[in-house]
Every structure is written in C-alpha cells, then in structure tokens.
Amino acid sequence: AQSVTQPDIHITVSEGASLELRCNYSYGATPYLFWYVQSPGQGLQLLLKYFSGDTLVQGIKGFEAEFKRSQSSFNLRKPSVHWSDAAEYFCAVGANAGNMLTFGGGTRLMVKP
Amino acid sequence: DAGVTQSPTHLIKTRGQHVTLRCSPISGHKSVSWYQQVLGQGPQFIFQYYEKEERGRGNFPDRFSARQFPNYSSELNVNALLLGDSALYLCASSQAVSSYNEQFFGPGTRLTVL
C-alpha cells in the first residue's frame, strides 16, 4: 500500500527566507507525486506534479520540488517566502491506474514579518 | 468558467442521522472523487466515479455510499452518522481517471456531527 509522510507538522519562517518542506513516500512502482496547498476556507490547489523525466520540477507561485528516488523523497522548496504563502501544504502520491490520491498529514507554514 | 461547486457549505447533524452532500464538477469533467479531511489531517480518499460507474473505493464503512448522475454531478451519502464523521468533505473533478489528469478540488462541505 502506498503512503506519504510529512515529518514537519508546523514550520515557521521569516518573510524573504528560503523554505523546504519535506515529503517521503512509499510506493512499489514509479510514483506520481504532487504538492497541493490549502488556504483557510478553500479547497486544495495544485502547486506542481512529477510523473517522469527531469527530477526537478517547477510549479506555480515560485515553488519547485525535487524527486529523489534513492531517498523516496519529494521535497518542496521556495527561495524566498512571501507572507501570502502561509497555508497548509500537502504532499500526495497517485496510483498508476486511476488518479486516487494518498495524502500526507500536511505541514502548516507560518510566515513571520 | 465555474470551478467545482459543493453544497451545502456547512451543516450540523446529530448522531444516527443521514446526510447527503452534493458536488458539481467542472464542465467537461467526467470523473468525480470524494475525500474526507478530518481536522488536522490530510484528505483521505473515499470514492471515485467515472461515467457514472464506481472506479475506486477507499477504506470506509458501508455507511458511506455515492453515485454519479448523467450530468456528471455526484452525491455522497452517509448513514447512521457517528461523531467521528465530523470532517471537511472534499469533492474533486477531472477529465478522466488517469494520474495524468489533474484533479480540481471544490471548497468542501464542513460536516459537524453532535
């Protein structure tokens, strides 16, 4: 069975600082990996996805993520955080057949002025 | 174009009651999925429907059921509500059921069971 672990429940960074959110997955085959963001009172918005090819993927809002098969990781990064980035971030893995997603527990990001 | 819409936004029920949640997908999308998000946790997959047929079911009891209509809208039904069913219920739509097809999520229905 597939699973996703996000080791950090809460992270606080200063505005303008760099950010890295960790994600580890367990999946028997080639994973389909996603990062979503959820702001209060809103649904999930897709930031980026990895299916194959270049292991560094670019997403919206200046985010990027790197797939490392040897470490079973798909960490999300941003070089300079803005106050509007404060939200909850979810890493997810999708099955080869069908697009049912398995989500991690989420990381809540707080941004200090 | 309108995104995924869900109704109602909030509702409060008591234990043992039944609830129906509704979802309208993005125009042209034929697949609808339902997820349960308990406070402080990530969403958990409940059901996926494509072209009115169930394509996937998560690890939820038989009290949970769903269906998809000819216009691709969907209902999630929960019988004999328990306190633990209190959660945000998210609906997502996509054009098809491959992982290549991005899922677009609605704002959710907040269910409180007292």
Side-chain angles (χ1 to χ4, degrees):
Chain A
Q2 58 207 50
S3 66
V4 178
T5 302
Q6 294 180 246
D8 305 304
I9 298 175
H10 294 99
I11 283 185
T12 300
V13 299
S14 298
E15 190 168 16
S18 63
L19 170 71
E20 182 169 25
L21 303 183
R22 296 184 291 165
C23 171
N24 294 99
Y25 68 90
S26 173
Y27 188 65
T30 300
Y32 296 80
L33 296 163
F34 305 82
W35 274 99
Y36 285 86
V37 61
Q38 186 177 39
S39 298
Q42 298 187 19
L44 297 163
Q45 181 183 23
L46 181 66
L47 288 175
L48 47 79
K49 58 190 176 187
Y50 171 79
F51 292 152
S52 63
D54 193 347
T55 57
L56 184 64
V57 293
Q58 303 296 322
I60 62 171
K61 304 184 179 185
F63 286 93
E64 66 178 27
E66 186 171 12
F67 170 61
K68 293 184 177 180
R69 185 186 298 275
S70 62
Q71 299 178 18
S72 297
S73 69
F74 188 57
N75 294 349
L76 182 72
R77 300 193 294 246
K78 187 170 185 178
S80 177
V81 170
H82 187 261
W83 64 266
S84 60
D85 293 324
E88 184 123 30
Y89 291 80
F90 293 95
C91 181
V93 61
N96 284 339
N99 54 359
M100 298 157 275
L101 297 174
T102 298
F103 286 87
T107 298
R108 180 165 296 278
L109 173 66
M110 290 173 280
V111 181
K112 293 189 299 184
Chain B
D1 285 340
V4 177
T5 59
Q6 294 185 242
S7 63
T9 305
H10 299 86
L11 74 164
I12 300 174
K13 294 286 188 177
T14 56
R15 282 177 296 175
Q17 286 189 311
H18 163 271
V19 69
T20 297
L21 311 182
R22 295 177 175 84
C23 171
S24 292
I26 292 172
S27 177
H29 285 190
K30 299 181 178 179
S31 175
V32 169
S33 297
W34 288 95
Y35 293 82
Q36 180 197 63
Q37 186 177 18
V38 172
L39 193 62
Q41 298 181 19
Q44 261 196 297
F45 170 75
I46 309 175
F47 285 110
Q48 183 178 60
Y49 277 78
Y50 177 68
E51 291 278 18
K52 294 166 286 181
E53 290 190 1
E54 183 183 300
R55 287 299 195 94
R57 174 186 286 253
N59 188 24
F60 280 80
D62 292 344
R63 298 184 296 107
F64 289 76
S65 64
R67 56 180 175 168
Q68 188 176 33
F69 299 99
N71 67 353
Y72 303 112
S73 67
S74 178
E75 283 183 354
L76 175 70
N77 296 283
V78 187
N79 292 325
L81 285 167
L82 303 174
L83 296 180
D85 295 331
S86 295
L88 180 67
Y89 288 84
L90 295 166
C91 173
S93 78
S94 60
Q95 291 181 320
V97 292
S98 163
S99 282
Y100 290 100
N101 299 117
E102 180 179 345
Q103 291 191 71
F104 294 84
F105 284 82
T109 293
R110 173 75 61 189
L111 171 65
T112 302
V113 182
L114 301 176

